[in-house]
Amino acid sequence: MDQDSHCTAERELLEAVSRIATFSTASPSDEEQNQPKAEVSCQVRKENPEKDDLQDSNASLSPNSLMTTKELQEYWRNEKRQCRQVKLLFEIPSTRIVEHHLSKYVMYKIIILQTGSFDSNKSVIERRYSDFEKLHRNLLEEFSEEMEDVTFPKKTLTGNFTEEIINERKLAFKDYLRLLYSMKYIRRSKKFIDFLTRPELQEAYGCLRGGQYTKALEILLEVIGLQERLTRGNPVSIVPTLCAIVVCHKDLENPASAFEYGEKALSCLCVHTSHRYYTPLLETMITLAYELGKDFLSLQEKLEEWKAKKDPVRVFTLKELAVREYVQ
């Protein structure tokens, strides 16, 4: 009887995995038509999976996959973890007034942290009124329907630097960010993510190009945590930042740390071998693995396998690719 129950459970797991793999082949147009505006629960998502949430985890999974019960159980554990939406909290605890020769403006300190658990890796950024204003204009262009009822604090002719006005805007901008983040299409948009990360990334890559690897690394390590939270459903998007961290650690003669972040980047590219960073990253990882006395032959085999499938073309080094990011 126990053996029959075990076989039945295993068959049910195999059927469930087969159904998920079948769902993951849904076309983008179906996803756009059926995708709800509000976030759905984990249970509903299992009944109505969306391609953007499942494509990375199921890209290498076929309906006829032969998996052991233990492998299937591990697969379901990973699926449940992915179902848990990362919720972010935005706070604006303080401001500072900046004065230059011909300009004066208020910088708003924004703290971003994950809710539901203690988050020791909170992100801290600063933005001014014009940054929020630019974000609002950009979102109106792309998401006019979603932004229809979103209000934005207006500028006043006088009194912009009074304590009363600044405190009002602190609260208004906090509510504004929370509202934007509550809308799935917007929080996943490049324009929203760029607002929260682009200025810091531009500074970091500027330092990298200038050979200031310690400063660049400090900024990149701050940004990568926020990027991971914002782009959980699209891990490929953080590959350039991970590779820039690899470059910095390598040039600072920290091969072990470089290898660690390189492994993270490779895991993001496991089903995206045509990505522009894949070959340069493999070449760098082979060098690092050899230096650290790790297994480099398996990496070499992957590189040779990839080269055999592609026409020989000039490939940039990892560092050459990194210094080309955020040039404008």
Side-chain angles (χ1 to χ4, degrees), residues 28-89:
S29 59
D30 291 337
E31 176 194 352
E32 291 170 2
Q33 293 174 5
N34 299 326
Q35 196 173 35
K37 289 186 179 180
E39 198 68 52
V40 296
S41 67
C42 196
Q43 179 181 358
V44 174
R45 288 181 63 190
K46 287 180 183 176
E47 296 172 358
N48 302 284
E50 300 170 3
K51 181 178 177 183
D52 62 336
D53 290 326
L54 292 175
Q55 61 182 354
D56 291 323
S57 60
N58 294 324
S60 61
L61 186 64
S62 68
N64 299 319
S65 295
L66 297 178
M67 304 172 70
T68 66
T69 303
K70 183 178 180 181
E71 288 172 335
L72 287 167
Q73 289 171 344
E74 179 62 27
Y75 173 81
W76 273 113
R77 278 194 291 270
N78 291 333
E79 280 299 304
K80 288 178 181 178
R81 282 196 291 268
Q82 289 190 9
C83 277
R84 300 191 190 105
Q85 180 199 341
V86 175
K87 295 184 179 180
L88 300 182
L89 180 67

Side-chain angles (χ1 to χ4, degrees), residues 166-183:
I166 290 174
N167 286 334
E168 285 179 3
R169 286 184 179 166
K170 277 170 52 179
L171 295 173
F173 283 142
K174 181 178 71 172
D175 292 339
Y176 177 74
L177 290 174
R178 287 179 176 178
L179 180 57
L180 294 182
Y181 184 76
S182 71
M183 293 183 275

Side-chain angles (χ1 to χ4, degrees), residues 70-320:
K70 183 178 180 181
E71 288 172 335
L72 287 167
Q73 289 171 344
E74 179 62 27
Y75 173 81
W76 273 113
R77 278 194 291 270
N78 291 333
E79 280 299 304
K80 288 178 181 178
R81 282 196 291 268
Q82 289 190 9
C83 277
R84 300 191 190 105
Q85 180 199 341
V86 175
K87 295 184 179 180
L88 300 182
L89 180 67
F90 298 86
E91 296 291 345
I92 304 180
S94 61
T95 61
R96 63 186 180 94
I97 297 176
V98 179
E99 293 189 62
H100 289 305
H101 296 296
L102 300 174
S103 64
K104 181 180 179 180
Y105 54 88
V106 179
M107 293 293 288
Y108 296 85
K109 181 180 180 180
I110 306 169
I111 296 178
I112 309 158
L113 65 159
Q114 184 175 330
T115 62
S117 61
F118 176 72
D119 187 3
S120 60
N121 297 318
K122 64 184 179 182
S123 300
V124 181
I125 60 176
E126 284 190 319
R127 297 294 182 266
R128 54 187 292 189
Y129 182 95
S130 59
D131 296 324
F132 282 97
E133 194 173 38
K134 181 180 178 181
L135 170 66
H136 192 70
R137 286 198 308 269
N138 290 338
L139 292 177
L140 282 173
E141 291 176 2
E142 187 173 350
F143 304 101
S144 57
E145 184 177 345
E146 289 83 351
M147 297 289 291
E148 196 171 45
D149 298 322
V150 178
T151 58
F152 187 81
K154 302 294 183 181
K155 274 189 175 180
T156 59
L157 294 176
T158 59
N160 285 300
F161 301 101
T162 64
E163 184 177 355
E164 181 182 358
I165 293 294
I166 290 174
N167 286 334
E168 285 179 3
R169 286 184 179 166
K170 277 170 52 179
L171 295 173
F173 283 142
K174 181 178 71 172
D175 292 339
Y176 177 74
L177 290 174
R178 287 179 176 178
L179 180 57
L180 294 182
Y181 184 76
S182 71
M183 293 183 275
K184 181 192 297 184
Y185 287 108
I186 291 179
R187 73 165 171 267
R188 292 180 178 177
S189 70
K190 185 178 185 300
K191 291 176 179 178
F192 182 70
I193 294 172
D194 277 353
F195 168 79
L196 296 170
T197 61
R198 189 176 181 86
E200 286 72 26
L201 287 171
Q202 285 177 322
E203 182 183 1
Y205 280 99
C207 292
L208 194 157
R209 283 188 288 272
Q212 301 175 19
Y213 302 116
T214 301
K215 179 63 175 176
L217 182 60
E218 179 185 336
I219 301 171
L220 290 168
L221 290 175
E222 287 283 338
V223 176
I224 191 64
L226 179 57
Q227 278 188 310
E228 287 173 335
R229 295 182 183 94
L230 291 168
T231 62
R232 191 176 185 183
N234 182 25
V236 178
S237 62
I238 68 171
V239 167
T241 306
L242 288 171
C243 288
I245 292 173
V246 172
V247 169
C248 289
H249 274 306
K250 189 172 182 294
D251 281 9
L252 290 170
E253 299 182 355
N254 299 324
S257 296
F259 191 84
E260 176 189 347
Y261 281 92
E263 284 187 315
K264 291 181 181 180
L266 275 180
S267 69
C268 295
L269 296 177
C270 60
V271 293
H272 301 278
T273 56
S274 60
H275 195 280
R276 70 187 190 280
Y277 271 90
Y278 183 70
T279 302
L281 178 59
L282 270 180
E283 291 175 340
T284 301
M285 290 295 285
I286 291 168
T287 302
L288 290 168
Y290 182 80
E291 183 180 349
L292 293 167
K294 295 180 179 289
D295 172 29
F296 65 91
L297 293 178
S298 59
L299 295 169
Q300 186 71 48
E301 288 174 4
K302 288 182 180 180
L303 181 61
E304 294 302 326
E305 180 184 345
W306 186 90
K307 286 183 176 180
K309 295 178 182 178
K310 300 289 183 179
D311 295 329
V313 293
R314 180 180 183 271
V315 178
F316 291 111
T317 66
L318 197 66
K319 188 173 183 178
E320 286 173 337

